[in-house]
Amino acid sequence: MAQHSSLTGSDLHEPKGASTASSGEVYVADGAGSGSWQNPLGTVSNLNSYDLNGLIDDVSTTGSSVYFRVARNSVLTNVFLVLSGALSGSDSELSLYRDGILLGQSISLPVAGSGDGVKLTKNLSPTYTFTEGQVLKIETNGASTNAVKAFLTCKFTAG
């Protein structure tokens, strides 16, 4: 009988269990002389999502904006903001643009409750699809007063 170490060509065979393993699974040894077929990325919860971070220097200055170049085909699902101080006067609105075209939703930055470290979340509905290389621009109308920074995180899900 031939030893496994001397097999070549058509005498070689797949590892045991390969015929029932799912696509993308690999054999993972358990350190005790056995193992199982597993998806090595199966427990990664954010496999297809990523964040882009930016800053608007002053949400109270008309036209202040931040730009993001989207690196892969993706869907923009959420925008998270943190303010660096309290707004006064009127609420500011942030507008979203894809390659210079205004999108349908805006993000309100209310004077009431604003302050240093205040967090705001915009869950987009509907979401916006971007293709690789498109530019997301977020721009303020500057309706508020006080020089307040907005730190932004845009969450994308790659498709």
Side-chain angles (χ1 to χ4, degrees):
M1 173 183 283
Q3 295 293 317
H4 270 106
S5 62
S6 64
L7 295 177
T8 60
S10 63
D11 292 328
L12 293 174
H13 60 85
E14 295 292 330
K16 289 180 182 174
S19 64
T20 59
S22 297
S23 177
E25 289 186 326
V26 296
Y27 190 78
V28 178
D30 65 7
S34 188
S36 63
W37 292 94
Q38 300 175 19
N39 178 344
L41 302 175
T43 60
V44 178
S45 62
N46 63 349
L47 182 61
N48 291 320
S49 56
Y50 64 95
D51 298 339
L52 296 177
N53 299 302
L55 169 70
I56 295 178
D57 283 323
D58 183 2
V59 297
S60 298
T61 298
T62 302
S64 288
S65 55
V66 61
Y67 294 84
F68 304 94
R69 183 181 183 279
V70 179
R72 50 198 286 210
N73 295 343
S74 308
V75 176
L76 175 62
T77 58
N78 312 85
V79 179
F80 304 99
L81 298 101
V82 178
L83 299 176
S84 70
L87 301 172
S88 61
S90 300
D91 298 348
S92 278
E93 293 289 325
L94 301 180
S95 298
L96 288 74
Y97 297 82
R98 180 179 44 222
D99 280 352
I101 298 172
L102 180 64
L103 299 173
Q105 298 175 67
S106 61
I107 301 168
S108 180
L109 303 179
V111 169
S114 66
D116 185 42
V118 168
K119 299 176 276 191
L120 302 164
T121 298
K122 177 67 173 186
N123 298 315
L124 298 170
S125 181
T127 57
Y128 295 113
T129 300
F130 285 77
T131 57
E132 180 180 337
Q134 286 188 311
V135 174
L136 167 63
K137 174 184 174 184
I138 301 178
E139 180 178 71
T140 180
N141 68 356
S144 60
T145 56
N146 287 353
V148 174
K149 295 179 182 185
F151 300 88
L152 295 95
T153 299
C154 299
K155 180 164 282 307
F156 288 86
T157 301

